[in-house]
Amino acid sequence: MHRELAGRLIDPHTLARLTALADLDPGLVLDDFGTPEARAALADAEVIVSGWGCPPIDEEVLDAAPRLSAVIHAAGSVKHHVTEACWRRGLQVTSAAWANALPVAEYTVAAVLLANKRLLEIREEYRLRRAPHDWQLAYATAGNYRRTVGIVGASRIGRRVLELLRPHDLDLLLHDPYVDPAEAARLGARAVELDELCAASDVVSVHAPELPATRHLIDGRRLALMRDGATLVNTSRGSLVDQEALVREVSSGRLDAVIDVTEPEVLPADSPLYDLPNVVLTPHVAGSLGGELHRMAAAAADELARYTAGLPFAHPVLAEDEHRTA
């Protein structure tokens, strides 16, 4: 039980909306469906409003929740708690993944623009010089005009990144096996194979889902294809990048990196990624952080309002799409 969570995750206006829409106890936050309090709540529950860390809603949980008909997830992926048993029951499922995608895309766009501006390199050199210098001569190839950015995966986040990058006079490449050239063009990008994207891009940004087929999608061979001085941005999942190969590349100084996700999630204290001047390493915070959590709570309230009005969810999660999503 974590009764203090509601006040931290839900702003007062949204909390008032939620409690007005349904018989909902905002202080009842469960991380174990097997407790007596949880079983009592499940017996009458028609909707579960879930968040990060929700335990699996399996057959046993469903047996204890005969009235349950919907899961409203006030976070991103539902893979960790919406089980096959939920789909067999025919539960309606919705997620605030679209809301969580917005800050990830903003983080990514900031990383892309600053990478092309050579921010890390200039910061280090300025810190060492502490004196006048011909920065235009030293960084004659820096800047964002007509630089090439490769987006790996036309996910919600990948599409939002493309949308936000379009005004910046960049050449945008896209690799996604489910997107044809015509759709890529509508997104403002040119569809290419992944090897070509890695070789041609000044920045490669990873937005593919975590699946068995995408493990080490960016492996040592593809990292070696990247241009000297190029930047890898990963805000997807750590498993998509061969981390040992990446450490070799950034330790040599050949590549730069902006890494928000790693494998394991928290790196050992002696990992060189913490200290390399050409690496920005953050602790999986590209998604909703602080006040941005309130956007996801508001999204959940919107979906609960639709449910109570007998309307379909605005952002449904479908069983047949699970193999393509993070």
Side-chain angles (χ1 to χ4, degrees):
M1 296 295 298
H2 304 282
R3 291 189 173 275
E4 77 286 354
L5 276 178
R8 183 156 60 89
L9 303 181
I10 309 173
D11 65 273
H13 173 72
T14 300
L15 188 58
R17 283 190 67 205
L18 285 167
T19 53
L21 286 166
D23 181 9
L24 183 146
D25 177 3
L28 182 63
V29 182
L30 306 171
D31 57 14
D32 182 354
F33 285 132
T35 65
E37 188 170 15
R39 292 295 174 167
L42 286 170
D44 294 325
E46 190 175 339
V47 177
I48 289 176
V49 178
S50 60
W52 285 311
C54 179
I57 305 171
D58 56 20
E59 200 76 60
E60 183 180 354
V61 173
L62 292 175
D63 287 344
R67 300 182 61 205
L68 186 67
S69 61
V71 177
I72 297 175
H73 191 46
S77 175
V78 302
K79 281 187 174 181
H80 301 292
H81 66 294
V82 173
T83 66
E84 283 298 322
C86 296
W87 301 122
R88 288 195 299 271
R89 167 78 76 89
L91 296 188
Q92 299 178 65
V93 179
T94 181
S95 166
W98 68 269
N100 195 47
L102 302 183
V104 181
E106 291 164 357
Y107 175 111
T108 301
V109 169
V112 168
L113 297 179
L114 292 176
N116 281 330
K117 201 74 171 181
R118 307 276 288 280
L119 179 75
L120 293 179
E121 190 176 344
I122 292 173
R123 179 202 64 181
E124 285 301 300
E125 186 170 356
Y126 192 33
R127 182 177 63 83
L128 293 172
R129 286 182 177 276
R130 306 183 187 216
H133 183 57
D134 190 340
W135 300 104
Q136 289 289 351
L137 178 62
Y139 292 91
T141 62
N144 282 284
Y145 184 66
R146 292 306 181 207
R147 303 308 288 268
T148 301
V149 177
I151 303 299
V152 182
S155 60
R156 286 186 189 88
I157 297 168
R159 289 167 185 261
R160 179 64 172 165
V161 169
L162 287 168
E163 179 185 348
L164 293 175
L165 286 176
R166 280 202 297 268
H168 290 283
D169 289 323
L170 295 160
D171 293 325
L172 301 175
L173 305 180
L174 173 64
H175 173 76
D176 189 303
Y178 297 99
V179 174
D180 62 26
E183 184 179 0
R186 287 193 293 272
L187 294 172
R190 180 167 62 90
V192 296
E193 293 300 318
L194 185 53
D195 283 3
E196 180 182 349
L197 182 148
C198 290
S201 298
D202 298 293
V203 180
V204 174
S205 190
V206 182
H207 303 287
E210 184 178 43
L211 303 168
T214 60
R215 179 169 179 79
H216 290 185
L217 184 67
I218 307 298
D219 57 10
R221 184 184 67 81
R222 287 186 169 128
L223 289 169
L225 291 174
M226 291 175 63
R227 300 172 175 178
D228 290 357
T231 299
L232 178 75
V233 179
N234 188 11
T235 58
S236 180
R237 292 291 186 270
S239 67
L240 272 69
V241 176
D242 182 338
Q243 195 163 278
E244 290 185 9
L246 178 62
V247 168
R248 289 193 296 270
E249 291 283 10
V250 294
S251 294
S252 74
R254 198 184 75 80
L255 297 180
D256 296 343
V258 179
I259 304 296
D260 187 54
V261 285
T262 55
E263 193 178 40
E265 181 74 22
V266 179
L267 292 174
D270 61 353
S271 171
L273 294 178
Y274 286 113
D275 299 312
L276 286 168
N278 56 327
V279 173
V280 174
L281 177 66
T282 53
H284 203 163
V285 294
S288 299
L289 180 69
E292 292 166 337
L293 296 168
H294 298 165
R295 181 192 283 124
M296 293 195 296
D302 289 343
E303 293 290 55
L304 184 59
R306 294 182 68 86
Y307 177 86
T308 58
L311 298 173
F313 287 137
H315 301 279
V317 178
L318 304 177
E320 56 266 31
D321 293 336
E322 280 294 272
H323 72 287
R324 296 174 52 181
T325 58

